[in-house]
Amino acid sequence: MTPPELSTVEKSAAETTAENLTIADKREIIKEVLEAYPEKAAKKRDKHLNVYEEGKSDCGVKSNIKSLPGVMTTRGCAYAGAKGVVWGPVKDMIHLSHGPVGCGYYSWSGRRNYYIGTTGVDTFGTMQFTSDYQERDIVFGGDKKLAKLLAEMDQLFPLVKGITIESECPVGLIGDDIEAVAKKSAKELGKPVIPVRCEGFRGVSQSLGHHIANDTVRDWAFPIADKKAKEGSLNFEPTPYDVAVIGDYNIGGDAWSSRILLEEMGLRVVTQFSGDGTWNEVLLTTQVKMNLIHCYRSMNYICRHMEETYGIPWMEFNFFGPTHIAESLRAIAARFDEKIQAGAERVIAKYQAQSDAVLAKYRPRLEGKTVMLMVGGLRPRHVIPAFKDLGMQVIGTGYEFGHNDDYKRTAEYVEDGTIIYDDVSGHEFEEFAKNLKPDLIAAGIKEKYVFQKMALPFRQMHSWDYSGPYHGYDGFAIFARDMDLALNSPTWGLIKKPWQQVEAAV
Amino acid sequence: MAQNVDNIKDHVQLFHQPEYQELFQGKKEFEGCHSEEEVARVAEWTKSWEYREANFAREALTINPAKACQPLGAIFAASGFEGTLPFVHGSQGCVAYFRTHLTRHFKEPFSAVSSSMTEDAAVFGGLQNMIDGLANSYSLYKPKMIAMCTTCMAEVIGDDLQAFIKTSKEKGSIPEDFPVPYAHTPSFVGSHITGYDNMLKGILNNLTEGKKAEEKNGKWNFIPGFDTYVGNNRELERILNLFGIEHTILADNSDTFDSPNEGEFKMYQGKTTLEEGADSINALGTIALQAYSTVKTREYIEKEWQQPTTVLRPFGITGTDQFIQKLAEISGKPVPRELEIERGRALDAMTDSQAWIHGKRVALYGDPDLVYTLVSFLLELGAEPVHIVVTNSNEVFEQELQALLNSSPYGKSATIWGGKDLWHMRSLMFTEPVDLLIGNSYGKYLWRDTHTPLVRIGYPIFDRHHMHRYATLGYTGTLNLLNWIVNTILEDLDRSTIIPSKTDISYDLVR
C-alpha cells in the first residue's frame, strides 16, 4: 500500500482549486463554460447549472427536460430504465428485448445485478432474449412472431415464472399490439406475461422507463397478487415486522449487505425489489408492513401506489457511510416497536468497532480530498455522506436523470458553494473538472477514461467499478478501500514526463 | 463480524461468510423457487439431445446472439477519420449504449452524439433535431467532419438524411462546404458489420466527390473492416513500410482506441486525414482485409471509382503468405528478409506447440471474416473445428468457409451453423463436447456451463484487459493467436490436474 504521504495528487499553494474559489468565481466559470454553445443552446443549458448557496431549499436547476440534440449527454432511454433497471433484475422471469437485436445486446450483462440461481434453468439474469426484428417484422408487424417466441420460451425454459416484454423503438412506431399478445399468451402458458411499453423515444431519459415499468407492476403484477391474496394462495404468514427493500438493484451485492442489517435489527425482509428478487417477492410486496425505498427516483411511483391502495407506508433510507447508516437504522426503527428500536441500537453498536477501524485506517489517507460526482438518479446525493465520513468533500454534483424532487432532497446533502449540474454534457463536465481540479471524479463508464486521460483518479459510481458492495457497514469498508486505491495509486504520479517537469521549472 | 480492516473482503469473498450464507438460505423462504431436485432435473435435461432438438426447432426466439446492430459498426468506421464526430440520428439511448460498449471493450473514451429524438420527433420527424443537433455539435466539439448514421427509430419513421442535411446547411447549422457524410443504418437489417460497410461507403462517397484526378496517386488503399485489434493497423502499416508501399488506411482508428495517457484528453484521434480519404479515389487499387464488412464499399469503389479491389486476409500463415505475395507483386519488390524471419519465427512457435493443439476439437463463433481466418489458422495447426456458429452469417460466406473446411482433412468434423446463437452453441457443446471454445467474453457463460476452456478472441472482450492492443495480423499477429490458444490449453491442463494426491500426478513442471 502507498503511504499517504506519498499521495501523488499534490497541489501547490498558488494553484486555483475549488477550496479557494468564491461562489462568484464559480458562477463566472459556469458563464465561461456556456460560451462555447450557440446562443439558443447556451440559454437552455444555463438553467441546468448552478452554484448551491447555504440555506436554499433547492439546488436551483431545471431538470428532467429533453437533452439538447448534438450535445453529448450521458443519458440513456426508457428501455434502459425499464429493462435494465426495474424489471431486469427479477431473476426468475425472462425479460424479452422486443425489437431489433442491438438494445438487448448492448445491455446484456452490463449491470452487475448479482443474483443466486442456475442461469438458464431457474434464473435468467445474464442472458439475452430478443425477437431480433428483421425488415419483414417492421413491414408486416411482429405480433405473430412475438406470440410464437413466447411459446418457444416457455417450452425451453419450463421453470420460468413469468415474462416481461420490453418494447424497443420500432414496436411503438409500427403499431404492434403487444398487450393483446401478452394477454393471450399468458392464458395459453398459464404464466404472467407483462407488456412494457418502454420504447426508447419515450420521455427524455431512463427515468420515464422506470415510471412505465412501475406502472406495469401496478397494472399487470399486483392484480395477480390481489387475486391470490383473495384466494388465499399467496402462502404467506404475515408478521408485524415484514418489510420490502425497494429500489436496490443489488449492484455487487448491495441489497444483501443492506438486508443483513435490517434482519439483524429484527425486521423480516420479505421482498427485494428488484435486485436478486423473484416474481413471488414482487407479489409479496403487497403484503408487507413497510416499504423501505433505496432508489427513490426509479421506484417511488410504486411505493406511492402501494400506500394509496394497500395502506403500506414507505420511507427512504440511506445506507452509505456509517453516519447515515446509523441515522437510517434509527429512523426505520422509529416506525416500529421498542424491540426493533433496541435491535437498531444493537446493530449500530455491533458495527461501531468495524467502522472505527475503517475510518482510522483510511480517513488520514483521504482527508481533505475533493470529489466531483455525476451519477443517475440517487447516488449524486446518497453517496455524499460516505465521502464525508472519510473526510472528503464533494464540490460538484449532478444527476443524469434526476427530477425536481431529487434536487430538493440534494439540498440537504450539499455544502455551500457546490456546483450543481443537471444532465451535464461532456464539454461542461470536462471544463468544470479543469477549473475545480477535484482529486477524484466519480461518475460512469463513458466518463471514466476521459478523466483518467486527464490524469484524474476516477471511480465508476454505477457499477462500483466492478467492486462492491458499497451499501451497509460491510460495504462502507470496501468503499473506503476503493476510494483510497483510486486516489493514492502511484500510477497517476507517473503520467507527467520527468523531462517536462524540468522544462516547466526552467 | 465480516470485515477486517487489514483484509477487507469485497463481493468475491464477503458473501461466502457464514452470516451471508445464512441470509441466502433465509431469503429462499420468500422466493417461491423450485425445489433443488426440480432445478437439477431440468438442468440435466438442457444438456440432452432432446433439448438440443427443441432448441434448434426455434423459429422466432433468439437467445444470446453473437451480433450487434448497424450503427455500432458505423461509428466504429467513422472513428478512424481525422477530426470526425460520429452523429447518430434518432433516439439518444442508442448512443449511450454504443459508447458504453466500445468503452468497456477498449477501456478508452469514445465520443459520439445523438440528435436525441423523442415522441414529438416520432410524430413530426426529426428534422428540427438534426438542424439543432448539427449546429450544437459543430460549435461545441469543432469537428472537421460529422459522420451521420441512424437508429431504427429514424429509419422506421422514414427520415431522409440527405434532404435533412441539405436543409440544415441551408438553415446555417453548419457551413455549406462542411462534410457530413451519411449512411442509413437500420438495426433491423444485417448487423454491425453491415453498418461498418454502409458508413465507410458513405464517407468515401462524400470525401471523394469531384476529387478524381487524371493521374493515379501511386498509393494503395487498405480497408481493415470491423477489426477490433488496434495492433493490427499498426502491424499493417509496418509491413507496408517494409515494402515501401505508399498507402492509405481507410480508416485508421488505432489511436482512437489506444491513445497514450499524457495527462490530456484529446477528443479526436482518427489517423486518416480527410485529404487522404479524398485522394483514395486516385489510388492504384484497394485491398480489403475483410470481405463481409466491405461488400458494398468494394462494389462502390469498383463501379464508381473504376478501381480494382481485392480481399486478402493476412491472418495465420496461409492468409499472410497470400497477402505478402500480393504486396511483393504490387511493389515489384522481393519479400523483405525481415518478414521471412518473422514467418520463420511464427512457424517455429507453431511446430513447438502443435502437439498440444493437434486433434483438439474446437467450437468457435464470431463475425464471418474473423471466423474464416481463425478456422484457417486452426487447420494449419491440425486442430479440428467442430461447431462453427456465425449469427450474422450469409450464404456466400458459408460456401467460402465450407470450401476451406473441405480443403483440409482437419475440417471434416466441422458444421457451419449460420444464423444460430450462443444458446444453440450451448446445446452443441453439451451433446457433442469439444476441447476448446474460441469467442468473445460472452463465451464465459459457455465455459462455466460446459467447463470448456475459453480462448478470448473477438469483440467484445470485457473481462480481460489489453488483449485488443495486440496484433493478430501478419506473422507476428499469428504468434499472438498461437500464444493465446496454446497457453489456454496448458492453463486448463494445470487447473484440471491441481488436486493433490488425486489429479496432480499430471501436474507437470515441463510441458
Side-chain angles (χ1 to χ4, degrees), chain A residues 176-193:
Chain A
D176 278 7
D177 189 355
I178 62 168
E179 287 79 7
V181 177
K183 276 182 194 156
K184 193 158 175 280
S185 294
K187 257 192 203 136
E188 285 166 8
L189 306 177
K191 289 176 184 174
V193 180

Side-chain angles (χ1 to χ4, degrees), chain B residues 52 104 115 122 125 152 162 168 210 269 286 295 304 310 383 431 450 458 476 491:
Chain B
R52 170 172 164 170
R104 282 181 175 153
S115 56
C152 48
Q162 187 180 17
S168 300
Q269 303 268 356
T286 295
V295 177
E304 302 295 327
T310 324
T431 50
T450 69
T476 54
E491 191 74 28

Side-chain angles (χ1 to χ4, degrees), chain A residues 119, chain B residues 47 423 426 430 444-452:
Chain A
T119 302
Chain B
K47 302 173 187 174
W423 195 252
R426 187 177 184 270
F430 271 126
K444 77 186 301 174
Y445 299 127
L446 295 165
W447 175 25
R448 175 194 60 196
D449 288 359
T450 69
H451 304 292
T452 313

Side-chain angles (χ1 to χ4, degrees), chain B residues 85-97:
Chain B
L85 180 67
F87 185 118
V88 187
H89 182 56
S91 334
Q92 75 193 7
C94 314
V95 175
Y97 276 142

Side-chain angles (χ1 to χ4, degrees), chain A residues 349-363:
Chain A
K350 176 185 167 187
Y351 286 95
Q352 187 72 47
Q354 177 178 313
S355 297
D356 287 349
V358 170
L359 292 174
K361 178 169 179 179
Y362 290 106
R363 188 161 171 141

